[in-house]
Amino acid sequence: MATTPQLFEEPFDADEYIERLAWRTPGGGSKGGAEAFDPKRLLEEFENHIEELKLLDEKIQRRVEKLEHQCHREAKEFAHKVQDLQRSNQVAFQHFQELDEHISYVATKVCHLGDQLEGVNTPRQRAVEAQRLMTYFNEFLDGDLRSDVFNNPEKIKEAADIIQKLHLIAQELPFDRFADVKAKIASKYHDLERQLIQEFTAAQRRGEIGRMREVAAVLLHFKGYAHCVDVYIKQCQEGAYMRSDVFEDTALLCQRVNKQVGEVFQSPETVMAKLIQNIFENKLQAHVKEKLDETRRSDIEQYLKNLYDLYTRTTALASKLTEFNLGSDKHTFLSKLIKNIFSTYLESYIEMEKDYLRTRSAMILQRYYDSKNHQKRPLGGGSIQELKERIRQRTNLPLGPSIDTHGETFLSQEVVVNLLQETRHAFERCNRLSDPSDLPKNAFSIFLLLVEHLCVDHIDYALEIGLSAIPSADAKNANLYFLDVVQQANTIFHLFDKQFNDHLMPLISSSPKLTECLHKKKEVIEQMEVKLDTGIDRTLNCMVGQMKHILATEQKKTDFRPEDENNVMIQCTAACSKVCVYVSRQVERVRKSMDGKNVDTVLTELGVRFHRLIHEHLQQYSYSSMGGMLAICDVAEYRKSAKDFRVPLVLQLFDTLHALCNLLVVAPDNLKQVCSGEQLTNLDRNLLHAFVQLRVDYRQARLGRHFS
């Protein structure tokens, strides 16, 4: 195998190279092949091949040395060339700097020459301009305008520039010598100004934005520029208010003009602000005046509604207009425009609001009382009759017959809803129309009117009538309607409180008026709670009186001392049944009339009085053995009624009473044991003794010794 450098090119595998060399050597294969394996021959071949590799290595090494020598030589030559190029580049850079300095010097000379030329040319131009103006001035002085610029309509722009400058010059001339020429220049000035405005107007009608912009730029230096803007504003509004909604038309007009005004005028924000001011001071103010003045004296309700609606829509329009560029302080600008329109109406707003609310509330109440054919009674007049009524209310003394209201509570949720709705509208208007500094004070005054008409004139009056209608405790078959008054008053209180929190609190929450409102609300509620408590107390007295009347008329002495004790049915008495029916009905009425903890409080009081009545009632009779059983049946029935109260205290009282009744039937020898029972052991011994004394056999069996 010939040894060449190509055999060692990548990828090179030494094992594969040796294997291939051995395979090509005769007798050098691993299996010997056709010839037997000959290690000497293989060794000889390897040694020869190693010599060949050494020769090849020497050959390659000489070639590498030759190439390295050549590389070093070329590197030196290249370094010399780079040095020559660097020297050439440095020379070129120096030449460039010299050229740059020369150019700067020439440029400085040119600028200086230009300044000199300008210094010479500017006076020359001024002189030429002055000569030209003097020529035109002479024409005015002679009274014959021969120049084409004054007679050619197409050169109106150039003529305007000339006449504007002549007009400024004429202002400096003495009047006595140049009065005539000054008048001619002024006449031509105004004539050209009028022609430009006419041209601007015509271009606006044709919709030629470019021409409008040119004319406006010329008029900018004339005194009539403001008139040009006025004409533009007036013409913009032609045909813009074709619908009945002036606010929507205004928004659309401003949106359309805002796109155009920036293309025509150099100060579009000024023109836009002037357009909006013109609209507010003319269109909107006239619209507001027309809407409000026609109802201000004839229909105050509609006036307030219109004022609220117009002010709301005007502020909403102003909010939309803030999108446009109206100058640096557009919010203050728009606020002043709104104030100029509504200031006269807002100054008197709160007084008119209070007058309307006072009149409207009185009308709602009067209409309700008229529908009931009721003439309101004056309260607190100090008459003898009223003094008697107040004494009767507080002492339950029978100082005369009570008022018969025929079951009418004189409270109406419809009236309350109407009053609250009117007040809610008043709060909404107050929030929108009041100055922020006056808002808490105005809201408080509206709240006082609500208290006056809802709480005093309606609820408090109904409570007074209800108290007057409560019969005395000893009245027979009394109809107790005060609980209906309590129920409706409770519902009204919730509505009143909801409006207080939802509509009044947001208006006064961050002001000192909050404390006054909370104090007034608390004062009113406490006053009404006193009357409610008084009425409930007297109503409970009437309920107990009615029970007492039933017991007095239905309960007989023979009920507990039957003549034939062997022929008696063990069941509750008729009086007990009627009392229990009455009590259940009253408990249900209390539950319907009260809510929350008030139910338990009132039922607890009623239950305690009910227990006291039965306890005292049972002590009026003497009991035989069978009568005692009947008494226990009655108390058991009373205890069933006590369960309807769902008050643990009341049930406990009747449990104890039931245990006391057991003393009426227990065997004499067992009395001491029964009295020591769980329910009776803590009771006063005198009370136990009193119950034992009710037994018919008390003296015969000498039962008193059990308590000695």
Side-chain angles (χ1 to χ4, degrees):
M1 184 174 64
T3 303
T4 61
Q6 285 75 18
L7 292 174
F8 301 96
E9 292 179 354
E10 295 293 338
F12 174 74
D13 188 349
D15 292 340
E16 182 183 356
Y17 180 78
I18 296 298
E19 188 69 30
R20 192 164 58 249
L21 178 61
W23 181 76
R24 290 180 179 274
T25 302
S30 58
K31 296 181 180 180
E35 299 180 12
F37 176 69
D38 187 355
K40 291 182 178 181
R41 191 171 183 179
L42 182 60
L43 176 60
E44 183 181 353
E45 183 63 29
F46 277 173
E47 289 175 348
N48 293 334
H49 198 74
I50 288 172
E51 291 298 327
E52 291 179 4
L53 289 175
K54 287 181 179 180
L55 293 175
L56 179 63
D57 179 61
E58 292 175 359
K59 181 179 179 181
I60 292 174
Q61 188 62 36
R62 288 194 298 271
R63 186 176 179 185
V64 169
E65 290 175 357
K66 181 180 179 181
L67 290 174
E68 286 179 350
H69 179 71
Q70 183 179 354
C71 181
H72 286 308
R73 188 180 67 255
E74 291 180 356
K76 289 180 180 179
E77 293 176 358
F78 181 75
H80 289 306
K81 288 182 179 179
V82 169
Q83 289 177 357
D84 293 340
L85 289 173
Q86 286 179 341
R87 285 193 291 270
S88 300
N89 183 54
Q90 189 174 5
V91 172
F93 181 73
Q94 290 176 353
H95 288 315
F96 175 78
Q97 283 185 325
E98 293 175 359
L99 181 61
D100 183 56
E101 291 174 358
H102 187 65
I103 291 173
S104 298
Y105 174 77
V106 172
T108 303
K109 289 291 185 180
V110 170
C111 290
H112 179 65
L113 181 60
D115 292 339
Q116 289 181 333
L117 291 174
E118 185 178 0
V120 174
N121 188 52
T122 299
R124 178 178 174 280
Q125 286 183 339
R126 289 176 181 173
V128 171
E129 180 68 16
Q131 183 183 12
R132 187 167 67 96
L133 291 176
M134 290 174 63
T135 302
Y136 295 133
F137 184 83
N138 286 334
E139 292 185 11
F140 280 98
L141 194 62
D142 296 340
D144 183 16
L145 300 179
R146 300 177 300 278
S147 299
D148 182 58
V149 70
F150 293 120
N151 298 308
N152 189 347
E154 295 181 359
K155 294 184 178 182
I156 189 171
K157 182 178 179 180
E158 184 180 350
D161 179 62
I162 294 170
I163 201 65
Q164 193 267 338
K165 292 176 181 178
L166 289 175
H167 186 263
L168 292 176
I169 294 171
Q171 302 298 318
E172 305 296 329
L173 298 177
F175 181 79
D176 52 349
R177 293 176 56 191
F178 298 96
D180 185 52
V181 69
K182 290 178 70 172
K184 292 178 182 179
I185 292 175
S187 174
K188 188 63 176 179
Y189 178 90
H190 294 304
D191 183 55
L192 278 175
E193 188 178 65
R194 179 180 53 79
Q195 291 181 37
L196 288 169
I197 292 175
Q198 290 177 350
E199 176 63 22
F200 182 87
T201 303
Q204 185 178 1
R205 294 186 184 280
R206 295 191 302 267
E208 297 177 359
I209 303 299
R211 183 57 178 165
M212 291 169 63
R213 180 170 56 252
E214 292 177 5
V215 176
V218 174
L219 278 169
L220 182 62
H221 304 290
F222 279 77
K223 295 180 180 180
Y225 178 73
H227 183 58
C228 171
V229 174
D230 293 338
V231 170
Y232 174 78
I233 290 173
K234 180 180 179 181
Q235 197 159 314
C236 283
Q237 298 179 57
E238 292 180 1
Y241 294 93
M242 302 300 292
R243 296 178 295 181
S244 58
D245 191 344
V246 65
F247 296 97
E248 188 65 26
D249 287 340
T250 298
L252 293 174
L253 170 63
C254 292
Q255 193 171 9
R256 174 173 57 83
V257 172
N258 183 62
K259 297 178 180 179
Q260 186 182 81
V261 74
E263 301 176 358
V264 175
F265 298 98
Q266 294 185 10
S267 301
E269 67 280 0
T270 305
V271 179
M272 198 67 194
K274 197 168 185 179
L275 168 66
I276 292 174
Q277 182 178 358
N278 181 272
I279 294 173
F280 270 72
E281 293 177 352
N282 293 283
K283 281 289 182 182
L284 292 185
Q285 189 159 12
H287 178 72
V288 169
K289 182 177 177 60
E290 177 187 358
K291 286 286 186 182
L292 295 181
D293 288 356
E294 65 183 5
T295 57
R296 189 168 190 173
R297 302 194 181 279
S298 60
D299 189 349
I300 190 170
E301 178 182 8
Q302 191 60 45
Y303 167 79
L304 290 172
K305 289 181 179 178
N306 288 346
L307 178 59
Y308 175 78
D309 179 66
L310 290 169
Y311 189 83
T312 300
R313 299 196 68 187
T314 304
T315 52
L317 174 62
S319 179
K320 289 183 180 178
L321 297 179
T322 55
E323 300 174 2
F324 308 132
N325 183 11
L326 305 178
S328 58
D329 199 0
K330 53 188 173 184
H331 294 284
T332 304
F333 169 70
L334 292 170
S335 297
K336 287 182 179 179
L337 294 179
I338 295 174
K339 185 177 180 180
N340 291 338
I341 295 176
F342 289 97
S343 59
T344 56
Y345 304 105
L346 296 181
E347 288 173 359
S348 60
Y349 154 70
I350 192 61
E351 293 303 324
M352 298 189 74
E353 183 72 79
K354 291 193 292 186
D355 290 343
Y356 165 72
L357 193 58
R358 191 179 293 110
T359 304
R360 178 66 177 171
S361 299
M363 184 190 73
I364 292 173
L365 290 172
Q366 190 59 48
R367 187 169 57 192
Y368 168 71
Y369 294 123
D370 290 344
S371 69
K372 300 294 181 182
N373 294 320
H374 174 74
Q375 181 67 35
K376 285 193 71 173
R377 301 170 62 233
L379 300 176
S383 65
I384 298 297
Q385 182 62 33
E386 289 170 354
L387 179 60
K388 288 182 178 181
E389 177 61 28
R390 294 184 179 277
I391 294 174
R392 187 178 70 82
Q393 289 177 11
R394 288 163 173 74
T395 63
N396 293 320
L397 295 175
L399 299 177
S402 61
I403 299 174
D404 187 5
T405 61
H406 303 287
E408 180 59 56
T409 62
F410 292 105
L411 285 173
S412 169
Q413 286 197 26
E414 181 182 355
V415 169
V416 172
V417 169
N418 288 337
L419 290 174
L420 292 176
Q421 186 174 10
E422 292 293 342
T423 310
R424 178 172 62 83
H425 292 326
F427 281 136
E428 291 174 352
R429 289 191 289 264
C430 177
N431 185 29
R432 175 66 68 178
L433 302 175
S434 295
D435 187 88
S437 60
D438 296 331
L439 177 58
K441 178 183 67 176
N442 294 345
F444 181 65
S445 64
I446 293 174
F447 172 68
L448 292 180
L449 289 175
L450 175 64
V451 170
E452 176 186 348
H453 292 97
L454 175 61
C455 299
V456 178
D457 292 348
H458 190 55
I459 304 176
D460 190 68
Y461 177 76
L463 293 177
E464 290 284 354
I465 295 296
L467 288 171
S468 302
I470 298 175
S472 60
D474 57 354
K476 300 177 182 179
N477 299 320
N479 290 322
L480 304 177
Y481 295 110
F482 192 78
L483 289 180
D484 296 333
V485 176
V486 173
Q487 179 185 6
Q488 294 188 36
N490 187 44
T491 302
I492 293 171
F493 280 150
H494 287 308
L495 295 175
F496 172 76
D497 191 58
K498 187 176 188 306
Q499 180 161 96
F500 183 91
N501 293 324
D502 293 349
H503 296 95
L504 177 60
M505 284 294 289
L507 307 183
I508 61 171
S509 59
S510 58
S511 75
K513 286 293 180 182
L514 174 61
T515 304
E516 292 185 51
C517 286
L518 292 174
H519 177 73
K520 184 65 177 178
K521 177 187 174 186
K522 181 181 178 182
E523 178 186 345
V524 169
I525 291 179
E526 286 178 350
Q527 291 174 355
M528 293 186 181
E529 284 179 346
V530 169
K531 295 183 179 180
L532 287 171
D533 291 344
T534 302
I536 292 172
D537 180 70
R538 294 183 56 227
T539 300
L540 295 181
N541 286 339
C542 288
M543 291 179 181
V544 174
Q546 188 66 24
M547 297 180 213
K548 184 183 289 187
H549 174 69
I550 295 173
L551 292 172
T553 56
E554 298 293 334
Q555 197 84 69
K556 301 174 182 176
K557 290 186 177 182
T558 57
D559 286 345
F560 303 114
R561 294 184 65 181
E563 296 177 358
D564 185 4
E565 294 202 0
N566 295 323
N567 191 21
V568 176
M569 295 183 63
I570 306 300
Q571 62 181 11
C572 63
T573 62
C576 172
S577 297
K578 289 187 177 181
V579 168
C580 289
V581 170
Y582 179 80
V583 169
S584 297
R585 191 163 59 247
Q586 300 313 313
V587 169
E588 188 62 28
R589 288 191 65 186
V590 170
R591 291 194 183 281
K592 289 182 179 178
S593 303
M594 310 284 175
D595 62 356
K597 295 181 179 180
N598 294 330
V599 176
D600 292 339
T601 302
V602 174
L603 288 180
T604 299
E605 183 63 27
L606 176 61
V608 170
R609 297 187 189 190
F610 174 38
H611 169 266
R612 186 185 304 123
L613 172 66
I614 300 302
H615 187 277
E616 294 173 353
H617 173 72
L618 291 175
Q619 290 184 314
Q620 298 175 9
Y621 301 91
S622 59
Y623 300 87
S624 64
S625 179
M626 187 57 66
M629 295 297 294
L630 294 174
I632 290 175
C633 288
D634 279 4
V635 173
E637 196 66 24
Y638 292 138
R639 188 169 62 173
K640 287 182 181 178
S641 295
K643 289 182 180 179
D644 294 338
F645 286 73
R646 302 172 196 166
V647 178
L649 174 62
V650 176
L651 187 58
Q652 182 183 351
L653 290 173
F654 276 94
D655 285 341
T656 304
L657 183 60
H658 188 272
L660 283 171
C661 289
N662 287 332
L663 297 176
L664 303 175
V665 297
V666 71
D669 295 337
N670 295 333
L671 276 174
K672 200 164 189 178
Q673 180 183 356
V674 173
C675 290
S676 302
E678 182 181 353
Q679 292 182 319
L680 301 179
T681 186
N682 294 324
L683 295 182
D684 185 16
R685 305 296 288 180
N686 294 328
L687 176 60
L688 299 177
H689 192 191
F691 251 82
V692 174
Q693 286 178 328
L694 300 177
R695 293 172 59 130
V696 174
D697 59 352
Y698 176 73
R699 295 186 181 277
Q700 298 171 357
R702 299 176 64 189
L703 299 180
R705 58 190 172 84
H706 294 285
F707 294 90
S708 59

